[in-house]
Amino acid sequence: MVSVVIPAHNEAKVIGRLLDGLLGEAAPGEFDVVVVANGCTDGTAEVARPYDVRVLTTPVPSKSAALRMGDEAARGYPRLYVDADIELSTAAARALAAALAAPDGPLAAAPERDLTLDDRPWPVRAYYAIWTRLPHVRSGLFARGVIAVTDAGNERIRALPPAMADDLAVSLAFAPDERVIVTAVHAVIHPPRTLTDLLRRRVRAQTSVTELERTTASAGERTGLRDLVAIVAREPRLAGAAAVFAAMAVLARRRAARAIRAGDYTTWLRDESSRD
């Protein structure tokens, strides 16, 4: 049985969208789905309960605690950890599980990203035009909304300390030959609708990467000027987008500095615009 763990904090607006796609073509009982409504002040649990899922609740608004709680309740492998604000089809969940079926195969898998950018303002589209071309973004398991693991992969990540950038920490826990991006599978990701909300996400990312750098041996690659130059050299039309990306990175780093100085790695700067 494939287990799916969904941590959900105030996701009443969007969790039905995820569960409709995930379970739309599933046979009864095909997936063991555990929704962990953590610290919710809306109707997240009530929206999820009519589906073929188990709903757990906790007053603690913590994604890492919710993941641990869901892990304890989940029954099978492969195991998928899915963000409540994305879209994932039944077929996609099956394909991710199948990618981990071989005994000597990878320990972790993730889908390609399908970003909904058509109705976003140009600066947001420009930012993601660069971000999606960065080598470590293309190869990493993070920021895809879904990570699937085998039982051995699950043991690996359960040993990780709690971190704001939990998906980045998981990605770094596996060597390149231990993880796979399943290119035929897509998860629909909903980026911010405004530049202000994009900045909130980037400040959170800057803060969380610094936390990992201070608590682990490595936090992976950081984007540098050389990366932007290489992208523009290949695609000169992206020069303007690179300027937007660089400006956003500088601004986010400056705004994250206060939280980093205070050692605040718990305040979650949430983007609400993508949930409307």
Side-chain angles (χ1 to χ4, degrees), residues 21 26 51 60 78-79 81 83 87 97 110 115 124 131 143 147 159 179 183 189 192 207 213 216-217 234-235 240 261:
Y51 292 87
V60 180
R79 188 161 298 172
Y81 301 98
D83 291 347
E87 296 179 59
L115 301 177
V124 173
W131 184 80
I147 296 177
R179 63 183 192 241
T183 57
I189 310 294
T207 306
E213 288 176 340
T216 66
R234 290 193 301 269
E235 299 181 74
R261 285 195 299 269

Side-chain angles (χ1 to χ4, degrees), residues 132-213:
T132 54
R133 286 168 167 80
L134 296 171
H136 61 282
V137 171
R138 295 175 68 87
S139 63
L141 300 177
F142 60 90
R144 297 177 186 273
V146 188
I147 296 177
V149 296
T150 63
D151 53 350
N154 177 259
E155 289 182 11
R156 180 86 56 90
I157 65 177
R158 282 171 70 91
L160 297 173
M164 183 184 292
D166 57 284
D167 56 348
L168 177 57
V170 169
S171 183
L172 293 170
F174 299 100
D177 62 347
E178 294 179 321
R179 63 183 192 241
V180 63
I181 304 301
V182 185
T183 57
V185 177
H186 290 254
V188 178
I189 310 294
H190 295 271
R193 293 181 180 276
T194 71
L195 202 57
T196 299
D197 282 290
L198 174 59
L199 180 59
R200 289 169 64 85
R201 280 199 184 188
R202 300 322 303 164
V203 171
R204 185 180 75 205
Q206 287 284 345
T207 306
S208 60
V209 168
T210 300
E211 178 191 23
L212 284 181
E213 288 176 340

